[in-house]
Amino acid sequence: TAAEDGNVDVWSASVSRRSPRRLTSDPAPEVHPSATADGGTVVFASRRGTAPGIWAMNRDGSDQRRLTTGTDVRPSISRDGRTLVFQRGAVDTTPFTLWRLAGGETTPTEVNDRHAMRPALSPDGASIAHYWMTPEAWLLAVTPTAGGPPAWSLPISETHAARVVRWSPDGRA
């Protein structure tokens, strides 16, 4: 994302030509883009229209369409574009939770009811790395995309929760 003329939009740039191209231009900010492995589909969060939500578009910015209408941010799309995970509950008084849209579904499914945020879908689409807040500690956790409790977690400092979680390309780290 980049801000030009006071508006935050999604942009793309060719690595070889380095020529940036604006993909969105709605007055509402568009943030947290995530793309499929081939770059054919890009998802992002926006407060367009009457409600915030997750949007999708083609790599050239065409066919922009709303996928969700909740207080949804931080989308992470699978390499093949068949699974989308995101954080819901962008209000300070509401615990953040993880949600999923998979295989052409139109209604999101809650992955878990824990205070979790900043999801990153694994390369194979089977797991979600995310931050998990418990009354006792802040944790980095890995939860199955299908739902349920975290498969494992690691205590972290509160200051780390402002960071973005990413997987290695092979999904092993």
Side-chain angles (χ1 to χ4, degrees):
T1 59
E4 186 171 298
D5 303 324
N7 194 45
V8 179
D9 290 304
V10 177
W11 293 68
S12 70
S14 167
V15 175
S16 61
R17 290 185 269 142
R18 297 183 187 189
S19 53
R21 180 170 178 237
R22 181 180 280 180
L23 300 180
T24 62
S25 60
D26 192 89
E30 286 94 15
V31 295
H32 311 133
S34 177
T36 55
D38 65 1
T41 300
V42 179
V43 294
F44 58 93
S46 181
R47 292 189 166 274
R48 296 175 172 195
T50 60
I54 305 297
W55 290 71
M57 65 182 163
N58 296 334
R59 76 172 66 188
D60 63 1
S62 65
D63 192 26
Q64 295 184 20
R65 59 210 177 274
R66 182 184 291 275
L67 300 177
T68 73
T69 57
T71 52
D72 305 330
V73 294
R74 305 235 178 245
S76 180
I77 194 167
S78 62
R79 289 181 172 190
D80 63 7
R82 298 180 81 187
T83 304
L84 172 72
V85 296
F86 55 91
Q87 170 186 320
R88 178 168 279 178
V91 179
D92 290 338
T93 59
T94 304
F96 304 126
T97 52
L98 303 181
W99 290 73
R100 170 189 76 241
L101 271 175
E105 296 172 340
T106 57
T107 302
T109 302
E110 191 172 26
V111 174
N112 63 35
D113 60 358
R114 292 162 175 75
H115 191 76
M117 63 185 212
R118 297 184 182 251
L121 197 56
S122 63
D124 66 3
S127 300
I128 306 165
H130 60 90
Y131 292 110
W132 179 29
M133 283 62 68
T134 70
E136 299 80 33
W138 289 60
L139 305 149
L140 176 63
V142 174
T143 296
T145 303
W152 68 264
S153 62
L154 173 71
I156 59 170
S157 160
E158 287 184 29
T159 59
H160 286 86
R163 311 285 193 284
V164 176
V165 178
R166 295 284 183 250
W167 289 88
S168 63
D170 65 3
R172 296 180 61 187

